[in-house]
Amino acid sequence: MTRLLHLDASPRPGHAGTHEHGSHTRRLTHHFVSRWRALEQGVEIVYRDIGVNPPTLTSVKWIEAEFTPTENKTDSMRAVLAESDALIDEVKAADILVLGVPMYNFGMPAAFKAWIDNITRIGRTVDFDMQYGAHPYVPLEHYLPLLADRPRHAVLLSSRGGFGFDRQGPLAAFNHLEPGVRTALQFIGIGGFHDIAIEHQEEGGDALAASTQSALERIDQLVELLHSEVTAKHQPQPA
């Protein structure tokens, strides 16, 4: 059985193409999950809508609780970190993270950044050891991210008001969404990273329609690919 963590970060309700002013990224994540469910009816799906209910921002109390040794944490400190612990547990349980994240001003929305900050925790998803000197977080020859215990994939499904932000596009250097998300997730051990985006949202018309159709078709192909890979790993191995 595959476990999906389905996360939407857009504050827009509804799905583009169905609801007026609906979210393009919600449409993409819904399409991904629906296609996966068609292939695997028993898939386990955990849904988290951080566009409507953003995670708590990092605060002084959060920092004090996080950097207090486990044996010295008070009940109130553990309560401050309870939401972060729940978010991390969802990520650790998932085989695939399906992330609907629009590009806002060249980067990620504040709600999604808060989610990243909550799941990047020393001792839970990141290790720190001063014995490695200049690279206590990422000693290249020793570093093992704490979520590298088994293969996991992240699928970032995005939307952009403009166009030309893909890797080979003229505005690629202005795209801080995909590189930032990839860096953060691979830092904690999520090795597979896949991104698909809709462009031309501001322009609309035929350009947006063509970009949307292309994104939906690429999602279909990615679902087939990942489903084959993940389910193959779940098959019992011969003795």
Side-chain angles (χ1 to χ4, degrees):
M1 178 183 65
T2 309
R3 296 184 177 91
L4 302 186
L5 174 58
H6 174 188
L7 183 149
D8 282 320
S10 174
R12 293 190 184 206
H15 303 156
T18 302
H19 306 97
E20 186 177 9
H21 305 301
S23 164
H24 291 281
T25 57
R26 288 178 188 270
R27 179 179 183 179
L28 296 184
T29 60
H30 176 78
H31 186 78
F32 185 104
V33 171
S34 296
R35 292 299 190 194
W36 196 288
R37 199 191 298 273
L39 295 176
E40 184 183 351
Q41 293 185 358
V43 59
E44 180 182 322
I45 300 170
V46 172
Y47 181 63
R48 174 81 61 167
D49 191 339
I50 65 171
V52 173
N53 297 298
T56 303
L57 297 177
T58 302
S59 65
V60 171
K61 289 184 178 180
W62 193 99
I63 294 169
E64 290 174 348
E66 163 65 357
F67 289 95
T68 296
T70 301
E71 63 273 16
N72 295 334
K73 281 183 171 60
T74 64
D75 288 344
S76 61
M77 287 178 174
R78 285 188 283 271
V80 167
L81 295 174
E83 180 185 31
S84 173
D85 287 332
L87 295 174
I88 290 171
D89 289 343
E90 290 173 355
V91 172
K92 292 180 69 174
D95 298 301
I96 298 179
L97 282 61
V98 185
L99 310 173
V101 186
M103 175 187 283
Y104 283 179
N105 301 313
F106 311 109
M108 64 187 74
F112 190 79
K113 182 59 167 65
W115 181 78
I116 291 288
D117 291 342
N118 271 279
I119 67 168
T120 307
R121 292 256 309 276
I122 293 176
R124 296 284 330 257
T125 57
V126 180
D127 212 352
F128 179 94
D129 195 330
M130 284 304 298
Q131 72 170 310
Y132 299 126
H135 302 287
Y137 289 105
V138 194
L140 299 181
E141 67 276 22
H142 302 288
Y143 176 63
L144 180 64
L146 298 186
L147 266 64
D149 57 317
R150 59 182 174 83
R152 292 180 178 83
H153 292 267
V155 178
L156 181 64
L157 303 174
S158 186
S159 62
R160 306 161 185 161
F163 58 93
F165 290 96
D166 286 330
R167 290 180 186 84
Q168 304 304 319
L171 297 180
F174 291 85
N175 182 352
H176 302 290
L177 175 58
E178 280 87 347
V181 177
R182 183 190 302 110
T183 297
L185 295 182
Q186 291 184 347
F187 180 60
I188 65 175
I190 298 174
F193 187 84
H194 317 268
D195 56 273
I196 297 172
I198 291 173
E199 295 195 315
H200 301 279
Q201 186 177 341
E202 296 295 341
E203 179 183 352
D206 291 342
L208 174 59
S211 183
T212 299
Q213 184 60 34
S214 174
L216 295 173
E217 290 173 359
R218 283 180 287 156
I219 287 173
D220 291 345
Q221 295 168 4
L222 182 58
V223 168
E224 293 279 354
L225 176 67
L226 290 180
H227 184 263
S228 297
E229 179 180 332
V230 171
T231 53
K233 287 188 171 68
H234 289 171
Q235 296 298 319
Q237 300 299 313

